[in-house]
C-alpha cells in the first residue's frame, strides 16, 4: 500500500477520540444536516438493488454468462454482490469476530495502536474526515500486510489468533481480487496479454498492493442525523467488502438516488474503484457509496482495498482506445493517485482527465445534486 494514503488520513478536527459506544445523545459535532456537505438521508423507493452474481461456473452454463452478468453490473451499478466465491463461511465468521474483539476493547487500549498523523495503519477516524465539517459515526482500523505490531500494542499477549485470521483473510482476498479483476477486464474483452504489468513470468497474476480496512459503526442514538461513512468512491482497482448482517451500505445511482445493498449471508460486495474507472477508460465508472447507521444494531464491515503493484502506472488500456475513443485519463501510479485524491477528493478523477469525451460522458462523481466534500 503506497505511503501517500497517509495524506488522506489526516483529520482536521481536534484529535479528540469519541467513545461512540457510551454516547447517549448525538453531539453537535456528529449531527449532519442537509446544509452539511450536501448530506441527504433520503433513500430511494426503488426496490431494485445491485445484482447478485454466482461465481460458480456450473451454475452459469459457462464463463461467458458470468462475464455478461459482470459487465452489465459494472456498467449499470459499478458494484455487485458475489456468491460461491470460495471464501469459506468460517473465515468470514472469524474475521467478524476478530473485528468485534478489536473494536470492543476499551478506548485507551485501542489508542495504543492509533494511526499516527503521517501513518497509514492503525486505529482512527475515517480517512476522508478532513473533507467534511461534521464527524462520522465511525471508527476504523487499517492493516497493511502483517498486523503483528499493532496486535502487540493492543493485547500485549494472546494476539496470535487475531494475526492468523487477518493473514489468512488477506491471503484469500488477494486470490479472489485477482480473479475478479480478470473477470471484470474479461467482460471488456481484455486478456492477460493486454495487461503486462499484472502478469508474472509464469503467467501468474502479480501480487498487487492492498490494505485491509475494518470499519465499526456502533448503534447510534439519532441515526437520522448521523453519518457512518460519508459518500466517496474508493481509490482502488476494486474493493471486496464483507458486511455483517446489518444493513448500512448504500450505492448511488443516477436517477434513483441512494440504494441500500442488503446484507446476504455469505455474500461479498464488489465495488469498482477509481483505478478501474481509469483502466476501462470510463466504461466502468467507480461507484459512489456511503454507510448509514442505525439505532439498535452494531454494524461491522471489512473492506479489502486492492490496487496495482507499487510503481505501476495505470492508464486506459490500449485495446479500449482508438481514434473515436481517445484516452480520457493520464497514467498514474496508485501512490500518485492517492496523493491526488487527498488533495481533490471527489474531483480527483477529473483532475487526471485528459480531455472531455466525445459522447459527453462525465465522471461518476459528477452526479447532479450529490457533491461530496
Ligand atoms: O461499511 C461499509 O459498508 C462501507 C465501507 C467503505 O466504503 C470503505 O471502507 O471504503
Ligand atoms: Fe468505500
Amino acid at each position: 500500500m503506497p505511503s501517500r494514503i497517509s495524506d488522506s488520513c489526516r483529520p482536521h478536527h481536534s484529535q479528540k477520540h469519541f467513545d461512540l459506544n457510551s454516547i447517549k445523545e448525538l453531539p453537535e459535532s456528529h449531527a449532519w444536516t442537509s446544509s452539511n456537505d450536501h448530506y441527504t438521508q433520503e433513500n430511494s423507493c426503488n426496490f431494485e438493488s445491485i445484482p447478485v452474481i454466482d461465481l460458480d461456473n456450473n451454475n452459469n452454463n459457462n464463463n461467458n454468462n458470468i462475464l455478461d452478468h459482470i459487465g452489465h453490473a459494472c456498467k449499470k451499478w459499478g458494484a455487485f454482490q458475489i456468491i460461491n466465491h470460495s471464501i469459506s463461511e468460517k473465515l468470514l465468521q472469524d474475521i467478524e469476530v476478530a473485528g468485534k474483539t478489536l473494536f470492543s476493547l476499551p478506548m485507551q487500549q485501542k489508542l495504543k495502536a492509533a494511526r499516527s498523523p503521517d501513518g497509514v495503519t492503525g486505529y482512527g477516524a475515517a480517512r476522508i474526515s478532513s473533507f467534511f465539517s461534521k464527524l462520522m459515526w465511525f471508527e476504523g482500523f487499517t492493516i497493511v500486510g502483517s498486523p503483528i505490531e499493532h496486535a502487540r500494542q493492543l493485547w500485549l499477549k494472546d494476539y496470535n489468533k487475531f494475526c492468523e485470521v487477518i493473514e489468512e483473510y488477506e491471503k484469500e482476498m488477494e486470490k479472489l481480487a485477482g480473479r475478479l479483476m480478470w473477470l471484470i477486464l474479461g467482460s471488456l474483452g481484455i486478456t492477460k496479454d493486454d495487461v503486462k504489468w499484472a502478469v508474472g513470468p509464469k503467467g501468474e497474476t502479480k501480487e498487487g498492493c492492498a490494505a485491509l480496512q475494518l470499519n465499526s459503526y456502533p448503534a447510534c442514538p439519532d441515526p437520522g442525523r448521523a453519518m457512518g461513512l460519508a459518500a466517496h468512491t474508493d481509490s482502488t482497482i476494486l474493493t471486496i467488502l464483507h458486511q455483517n448482517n446489518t444493513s448500512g451500505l448504500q450505492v448511488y445511482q443516477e436517477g434513483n438516488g441512494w440504494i441500500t445493498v442488503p446484507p446476504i449471508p455469505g455474500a461479498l460486495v464488489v465495488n469498482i474503484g477509481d483505478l478501474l474507472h481509469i483502466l476501462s477508460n470510463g466504461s466502468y465508472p467507480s461507484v459512489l457509496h456511503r454507510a448509514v447507521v442505525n439505532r439498535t444494531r452494531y454494524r461491522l464491515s471489512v473492506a479489502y482495498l486492492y490496487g496495482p503493484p507499487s510503481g505501476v502506472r495505470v492508464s486506459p488500456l490500449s485495446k479500449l482506445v482508438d481514434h473515436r475513443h481517445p484516452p480520457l485519463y493520464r497514467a498514474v501510479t496508485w501512490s500518485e493517485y492517492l496523493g491526488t485524491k487527498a488533495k481533490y477528493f471527489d474531483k480527483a478523477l477529473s483532475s487526471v482527465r485528459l480531455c472531455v469525451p466525445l459522447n459527453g460522458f462525465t465522471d461518476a462523481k459528477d452526479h447532479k445534486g450529490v457533491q461530496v466534500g
Side-chain angles (χ1 to χ4, degrees), residues 133-294:
S133 54
K134 292 290 179 175
L135 291 169
M136 296 169 216
W137 198 261
F138 171 96
E139 52 181 344
F141 197 91
T142 312
I143 299 163
V144 177
S146 170
I148 192 147
E149 269 183 44
H150 285 312
R152 270 201 202 109
Q153 295 165 324
L154 291 169
W155 287 289
L156 299 174
K157 56 186 174 90
D158 296 337
Y159 46 74
N160 283 346
K161 174 74 184 156
F162 177 85
C163 293
E164 273 166 30
V165 170
I166 297 289
E167 283 175 11
E168 171 75 3
Y169 195 81
E170 288 176 326
K171 194 177 90 202
E172 291 301 312
M173 281 290 142
E174 159 84 33
K175 282 191 265 176
L176 180 59
R179 184 176 166 213
L180 284 164
M181 178 178 75
W182 291 120
L183 284 170
I184 294 169
L185 293 177
S187 72
L188 285 165
I190 301 295
T191 65
K192 285 193 169 180
D193 290 338
D194 303 317
V195 199
K196 297 276 184 296
W197 56 257
V199 186
K202 295 189 190 117
E204 78 282 11
T205 302
K206 269 200 193 148
E207 220 174 89
C209 288
L212 194 63
Q213 175 69 38
L214 308 178
N215 302 317
S216 163
Y217 309 91
C220 176
D222 197 352
R225 293 199 304 144
M227 177 50 75
L229 189 57
H232 66 283
T233 59
D234 294 341
S235 305
T236 55
I237 290 180
L238 58 88
T239 303
I240 306 174
L241 188 91
H242 167 55
Q243 46 179 347
N244 73 349
N245 64 348
T246 301
S247 64
L249 175 64
Q250 297 182 327
V251 295
Y252 189 81
Q253 198 189 39
E254 199 65 62
N256 282 328
W258 290 106
I259 315 260
T260 297
V261 177
I264 300 174
L268 295 164
V269 180
V270 180
N271 285 343
I272 301 298
D274 293 346
L275 295 187
L276 198 63
H277 185 127
I278 294 174
L279 278 170
S280 69
N281 205 26
S283 290
Y284 290 171
S286 52
V287 62
L288 189 66
H289 58 283
R290 69 180 188 182
V292 295
V293 290
N294 77 83

Side-chain angles (χ1 to χ4, degrees), residues 43-46 48 76-77 252-259:
N43 297 332
S44 167
C45 314
N46 192 316
E48 196 187 2
K76 183 169 175 198
W77 296 91
Y252 189 81
Q253 198 189 39
E254 199 65 62
N256 282 328
W258 290 106
I259 315 260

Side-chain angles (χ1 to χ4, degrees), residues 8 24 57 70 72 78 84 87 102 108 117 157 163 220 232-233 235 245 272 288 332 342 344-345 361:
S8 52
K24 299 279 175 287
N57 268 330
I70 288 182
H72 179 255
N84 290 322
I87 308 295
L102 187 159
Q108 73 273 20
K157 56 186 174 90
C163 293
C220 176
H232 66 283
T233 59
S235 305
N245 64 348
I272 301 298
L288 189 66
V332 283
Y344 299 110
F345 190 47
F361 167 85

Side-chain angles (χ1 to χ4, degrees), residues 340-353:
T340 305
K341 188 80 164 225
K343 204 163 163 194
Y344 299 110
F345 190 47
D346 59 319
K347 311 286 185 309
L349 265 182
S350 312
S351 81
V352 298
R353 193 154 71 186

